[in-house]
Amino acid sequence: MTLIYGVDVGGSGIKGAPVDLAAGVLAKKRTRIPTPQPSTPGAVLDVIEELLAEDEWAGPLGVAIPAVVVGGVARTAANIDDSWIDTDVAAELSQRRGREVVVLNDADAAGLAEMRYGAGRAADGVVIVLTFGTGVGSGMFVDGALVPNTELGHMEFRGEAAELSTAARLVEDDEMSLKRWAKRVNRYLLLIHRVFSPQRIIMGGGISKQFEQFATWLDVGCEIVPAELRNQAGIVGAAVAASLGKDRP
Ligand code: BGC
């Protein structure tokens, strides 16, 4: 069994587990530690080391973070501390761990997991995976190959970054009903469809559990399906990226 440890850094929690890459499942229950505040790189990397110590892990590691990541370097910081910008996260982690660590965008990671084990299995053409949570992340695939760092959550929609009015957080914090949110998301998906003409849109994030309840308000002219790996996708995808040994699989 090939096991690689995956870490998913989120706005509220940092989660990790060893991943069984043959099956695409967590080999043991995930460990979660609240995201430190402020969520500076140093503080977050300390928490990652805590996770690894708790799970007694010294093997290969992949880490998904909520930022544009180019060559292991974070280039944006929308829902984490600004000090991430221009941090060479891969180099810092590799130095701490004494081995190469792969770092990539969290939605790209979730997308890799869905494409290999979930709702995107064997899907050709353009497939877009969207993760709705604190922000909105995206992973775009062309015939199974990732186009990294697409950041569709930051497309302009209603005069501002789309994630400000379409994040699942708005429903979770009771600022918006599920129906109002879904109707608004439908308009956002129409925009995405107009620009990219995907064959399939995969909706991820915790809210995808309620997909059957809100699917009735979605109609954009392509297939829309719920993600299958739910809140494990980031962890599994981080491990997949590490198995490929690079941040642009
Ligand atoms: C960030 C993305 C991230 C998404 C989901 C956005 O605010 O810009 O990089 O993928 O949140 O966490």
Side-chain angles (χ1 to χ4, degrees):
M1 193 187 339
T2 307
L3 291 183
I4 294 190
Y5 200 95
V7 173
D8 188 6
V9 175
S12 58
I14 300 175
K15 296 138 290 190
V19 175
D20 169 358
L21 282 169
V25 295
L26 307 192
K28 74 184 267 281
K29 201 171 156 308
R30 66 176 196 173
T31 306
R32 179 184 188 280
I33 296 180
T35 307
Q37 295 304 335
S39 53
T40 55
V44 168
L45 299 194
D46 286 348
V47 169
I48 292 176
E49 298 219 72
E50 246 180 84
L51 283 180
L52 297 167
E54 212 160 299
D55 285 331
E56 296 176 346
W57 187 265
L61 169 68
V63 176
I65 64 173
V68 166
V69 182
V70 179
V73 180
R75 293 297 185 192
T76 62
N79 291 307
I80 43 170
D81 196 79
D82 278 351
S83 54
W84 282 82
I85 297 175
D86 295 337
T87 300
D88 192 335
V89 188
E92 287 206 14
L93 265 172
S94 301
Q95 200 189 359
R96 283 179 182 229
R97 303 299 299 166
R99 63 184 307 149
E100 199 198 340
V101 178
V102 169
V103 179
L104 78 167
N105 173 263
D106 57 357
D108 285 347
L112 282 175
E114 289 296 333
M115 295 303 286
R116 186 181 282 202
Y117 308 105
R121 266 188 321 267
D124 280 334
V126 176
V127 176
I128 294 177
V129 181
L130 296 170
T131 61
F132 292 88
T134 312
V136 175
S138 62
M140 188 182 300
F141 295 82
V142 183
D143 291 337
L146 173 66
V147 181
N149 296 312
T150 44
E151 292 289 328
L152 301 187
H154 290 266
M155 266 174 105
E156 189 177 324
F157 175 66
R158 297 162 50 99
E160 57 184 12
E163 69 176 9
L164 296 176
S165 61
T166 58
R169 179 182 50 80
L170 298 167
V171 180
E172 283 146 15
D173 295 350
D174 286 329
E175 280 177 48
M176 209 186 266
S177 69
L178 189 64
K179 177 175 178 180
R180 189 155 156 243
W181 174 81
K183 289 185 153 187
R184 187 174 290 176
V185 165
N186 194 57
R187 290 199 294 280
Y188 168 52
L189 298 184
L190 280 168
L191 173 64
I192 289 180
H193 188 258
R194 197 160 68 233
V195 180
F196 299 103
S197 298
Q199 264 110 315
R200 185 181 301 176
I201 294 175
I202 299 173
M203 289 188 66
I207 203 158
S208 60
K209 280 200 287 276
Q210 298 175 63
F211 185 78
E212 294 309 325
Q213 284 159 259
F214 62 74
T216 169
W217 295 296
L218 303 180
D219 180 12
V220 302
C222 76
E223 214 184 341
I224 304 179
V225 297
E228 290 175 13
L229 282 92
R230 304 259 165 80
N231 57 9
Q232 302 188 350
I235 297 175
V236 172
V240 169
S243 75
L244 300 169
K246 49 191 177 176
D247 74 326
R248 293 182 163 218

